[in-house]
Amino acid sequence: DTEVTQTPKHLVMGMTNKKSLKCEQHMGHRAMYWYKQKAKKPPELMFVYSYEKLSINESVPSRFSPECPNSSLLNLHLHALQPEDSALYLCASSQVPQKNTEAFFGQGTRLTVV
Amino acid sequence: AQSVTQLDSHVSVSEGTPVLLRCNYSSSYSPSLFWYVQHPNKGLQLLLKYTSAATLVKGINGFEAEFKKSETSFHLTKPSAHMSDAAEYFCVVSDRLTGGGNKLTFGTGTQLKVEL
């Protein structure tokens, strides 16, 4: 199983809402990532978890709150988002800590903030 | 920091003709390089990766790439394009993170269009 599963596929939320994005993998990978991709742009790294601990936060606003409850799951909690946060949010996983290891991506959650 | 530059934002080819998508990298040491493909409204799929074991790397769907250190290039090629190859292609360089995991830095992408 080389799959990373993200739910939901689409999400529309108001600026006062609280929602969560979920990501799951069963490849035994101990590094998991959140990327944000705006239309017609490459993905940009938001967070990295290594062995269920947050290792990288790329200066992401606090209205985005990641959580890694176990080695298979990664969540992204959303609160008080702005319309400019509308984007495709991609989850990925990889082995740790080998060089040249590829990341496996989910299909993404298309988020629209209204 | 390592980086990659994709030289063409759009490439258009006819079905059955060769594909060339260009990528140059900047790195002070032996880089970890990848090509990913993204079809519309989809996630990213790995096409191939450079592991330093061989300079010519074969990937899925008939794609291959050649690592040329003297030219700092990692161009993606395919002998014969198929309509299903139409997608966005990203050249990617990977940095190992001290806390574990890897940071992928993406090029700006090349949109491949395949015409009948």
Side-chain angles (χ1 to χ4, degrees):
Chain A
D1 182 8
T2 57
E3 205 170 276
V4 176
T5 304
Q6 290 186 244
T7 55
K9 287 186 172 48
H10 300 275
L11 178 62
V12 179
M13 61 184 290
M15 289 188 284
T16 58
N17 290 160
K18 283 185 181 181
K19 296 286 184 184
S20 296
L21 309 185
K22 297 186 183 302
C23 174
E24 188 169 5
Q25 58 88 15
H26 296 287
M27 294 178 277
H29 291 169
R30 301 304 294 276
M32 295 186 77
Y33 312 79
W34 282 113
Y35 282 82
K36 174 181 178 179
Q37 186 178 24
K38 300 283 280 183
K40 307 291 186 186
K41 297 289 187 183
E44 294 179 340
L45 183 65
M46 299 175 72
F47 302 104
V48 179
Y49 272 84
S50 177
Y51 295 103
E52 295 85 70
K53 287 185 174 19
L54 183 65
S55 65
I56 295 289
N57 176 341
E58 292 283 280
S59 303
V60 179
S62 59
R63 57 185 184 269
F64 295 91
S65 175
E67 178 197 21
C68 190
N70 61 55
S71 60
S72 300
L73 294 174
L74 185 66
N75 299 321
L76 186 62
H77 303 297
L78 314 172
H79 173 57
L81 294 192
Q82 303 296 310
E84 59 265 28
D85 297 321
S86 298
L88 181 67
Y89 288 84
L90 293 161
C91 174
S93 70
S94 73
Q95 295 176 350
V96 177
Q98 294 89 337
K99 189 176 168 29
N100 298 329
T101 185
E102 64 267 35
F104 291 82
F105 284 82
Q107 296 289 290
T109 293
R110 176 76 61 188
L111 174 67
T112 303
V113 182
V114 297
Chain B
Q2 300 186 103
S3 65
V4 288
T5 302
Q6 291 185 245
L7 300 165
D8 307 292
S9 59
H10 293 83
V11 169
S12 184
V13 300
S14 298
E15 191 175 34
T17 64
V19 175
L20 170 63
L21 305 183
R22 299 183 295 166
C23 173
N24 286 106
Y25 69 89
S26 174
S27 175
S28 55
Y29 47 89
S30 181
S32 300
L33 293 165
F34 307 82
W35 276 98
Y36 281 83
V37 61
Q38 186 175 34
H39 287 90
N41 299 311
K42 298 289 187 184
L44 292 131
Q45 181 183 21
L46 178 72
L47 280 177
L48 49 82
K49 65 178 181 179
Y50 170 65
T51 63
S52 74
T55 56
L56 184 62
V57 182
K58 294 189 183 300
I60 62 171
N61 300 335
F63 284 95
E64 60 183 39
E66 187 170 7
F67 176 76
K68 290 187 177 180
K69 187 175 179 180
S70 60
E71 298 176 10
T72 62
S73 68
F74 190 57
H75 301 334
L76 182 70
T77 60
K78 182 174 181 178
S80 176
H82 191 272
M83 295 296 289
S84 60
D85 295 327
E88 186 86 19
Y89 291 78
F90 292 101
C91 183
V92 179
V93 65
S94 176
D95 278 298
R96 282 182 66 181
L97 299 168
T98 52
N102 299 285
K103 177 177 179 177
L104 299 183
T105 300
F106 287 75
T108 49
T110 299
Q111 181 72 44
L112 176 64
K113 183 178 179 182
V114 182
E115 298 172 318
L116 285 171

